[in-house]
Amino acid sequence: MRRIIVWNLMTLDGHFEGPQPWDLDFHNLAWGPELERLSLQQAEEGDLLVFGRRTYEGMAAYWTTAEDNSEIKAFMNSVAKLVASRTLKEASWNNSRIVAEPVAELTRLKAGPGKAMLVFGSAELAAVLIEAGLVDELRICIVPVLLGAGNPLFKPAPSRTLLELLGSETTEAGSVILRYAPERRPAS
């Protein structure tokens, strides 16, 4: 069975982006050898990236024009991508396809063969997947900065989700990478 892993960077006050969409300058405070190593590890673990529409559009704009020639860029541009959207008409980034019902599609894909499915960014989509019980692991890098305002990573939810700590790592830059497994709910 495939796993779904959600990865994101978050400020200490809970934001995954600043007040404006794609206000991600705080990511530079966390970047270093540990995050580079984790990025390459995730590239080995996963064979499908899953995005919400806004994250997909931003990632596609960035990675298709990025000037570096890193392994991370090569992975981002070559790996299969799934974009959850009811409004997007075309997904032109290499190896991309659109799904209107991400819970149904990811449930189907989880039951099949393959590597992990990685959800990057996409806070609203992550909330839906957590509520549906599809997320196997949350990987959050807490960046040591208080933005004061921005888009919160975790959205209001109809119920509490307990998390089991799988591991933690402190980076040279003072960030903390946390790995959690959401509780498993009994099937209804």
Side-chain angles (χ1 to χ4, degrees), residues 72-176:
I72 298 167
K73 177 185 175 184
F75 169 76
M76 294 297 289
N77 284 313
S78 65
V79 69
K81 297 159 206 60
L82 186 142
V83 55
S85 177
R86 290 188 179 95
T87 60
L88 194 63
K89 302 297 181 218
E90 181 181 327
S92 58
W93 191 12
N94 191 37
N95 292 330
S96 295
R97 67 184 178 95
I98 302 168
V99 297
E101 300 297 333
V103 169
E105 180 63 6
L106 291 171
T107 299
R108 184 185 74 75
L109 290 173
K110 266 189 94 151
K115 293 181 175 182
M117 297 176 279
L118 306 168
V119 180
F120 292 171
S122 309
E124 288 83 8
L125 174 61
V128 168
L129 299 177
I130 291 167
E131 183 61 29
L134 291 175
V135 173
D136 297 288
E137 186 176 336
L138 292 165
R139 294 177 181 169
I140 309 295
C141 178
I142 306 294
V143 182
V145 64
L146 302 172
L147 285 187
N151 193 351
L153 177 57
F154 295 104
K155 308 305 182 189
S159 61
R160 175 172 63 178
T161 300
L162 296 176
L163 304 171
E164 175 189 352
L165 181 65
L166 301 175
S168 63
E169 175 184 356
T170 304
T171 71
E172 289 179 21
S175 296
V176 180

Side-chain angles (χ1 to χ4, degrees), residues 36-48:
E36 183 175 9
R37 185 183 77 253
L38 179 60
S39 297
L40 293 170
Q41 173 193 326
Q42 290 181 145
E44 289 293 318
E45 284 180 279
D47 63 2
L48 177 66

Side-chain angles (χ1 to χ4, degrees), residues 16-32:
F16 80 101
E17 68 183 350
Q20 303 302 317
W22 289 97
D23 180 357
L24 304 174
D25 288 348
F26 71 90
H27 285 203
N28 295 327
L29 299 172
W31 187 255

